[in-house]
Amino acid sequence: MSKQQYHFEFEEYDNSSELPAADAQLLQKAREVTAQAYAPYSSFYVGAAAVLANGEVVTGTNQENASFPAGTCAERSLLSTAAALFPGMAIDTMAISYHNHNGASDKPISPCGICRQALAEYEKRTHQGIRLILGGQEGKVFVIPRSTLLLPLGFSADDMK
Ligand code: THU
């Protein structure tokens, strides 16, 4: 037996004004698109904005459904949009924000397990890591160098060979 360890580093900023300008702008876009979320059941409005390798910016929001499992998270909604509009194009950075029923949020959230799996597959098929910027409407911001850092020992197509 040998003990194994998993360790990763990410950046933490006290607020978005400390970010490089392009990152602050992308997070601002994610904050704004939360207004387009369809979340009548959870009242938890999530927005994502990503800059692609070709410089295009795409967005996504959570889209809920009365049949709850049919709803989709903002991150996967963005991935589908990116794949549909710009097939094969890598994603450089994705910013994710949200607000609650009061319109407020002051700490980062990070992608759910299913979205981590979807992000990992997107990274793999485009041969590039996706940098994540996580922040609420205000407060601390986390920058994760690539999304798969959030999915240690993840399952992928390689495991089916
Ligand atoms: N949600 C997202 O869109 N992204 C996340 O990272 C976390 C959760 C959505 C799913 C659901 O519509 C609502 O937030 C509450 O879970």
Side-chain angles (χ1 to χ4, degrees), residues 60-85:
T61 55
N62 55 330
Q63 299 293 320
E64 297 186 347
N65 193 283
S67 171
F68 292 178
T72 307
C73 293
E75 295 90 330
R76 275 176 292 137
S77 147
L78 185 154
L79 293 179
S80 299
T81 300
L85 296 179

Side-chain angles (χ1 to χ4, degrees), residues 37-48 60-65 68 71-77 96-98 109-113 115-116 134:
Y38 176 67
Y41 305 104
S42 70
S43 300
F44 193 77
Y45 304 86
V46 186
T61 55
N62 55 330
Q63 299 293 320
E64 297 186 347
N65 193 283
F68 292 178
T72 307
C73 293
E75 295 90 330
R76 275 176 292 137
S77 147
I96 301 159
S97 191
Y98 70 105
I109 56 164
S110 60
C112 79
C115 287
R116 291 176 197 210
L134 311 176

Side-chain angles (χ1 to χ4, degrees), residues 69-138:
T72 307
C73 293
E75 295 90 330
R76 275 176 292 137
S77 147
L78 185 154
L79 293 179
S80 299
T81 300
L85 296 179
F86 303 102
M89 189 60 60
I91 295 175
D92 286 346
T93 304
M94 183 188 298
I96 301 159
S97 191
Y98 70 105
H99 67 79
N100 64 15
H101 58 283
N102 295 320
S105 58
D106 62 2
K107 57 176 184 294
I109 56 164
S110 60
C112 79
I114 298 175
C115 287
R116 291 176 197 210
Q117 185 74 24
L119 285 160
E121 183 113 4
Y122 207 98
E123 285 195 3
K124 199 173 172 60
R125 72 197 251 204
T126 58
H127 312 289
Q128 188 184 300
I130 301 175
R131 194 166 151 265
L132 299 178
I133 302 172
L134 311 176
Q137 297 294 326
E138 55 185 20

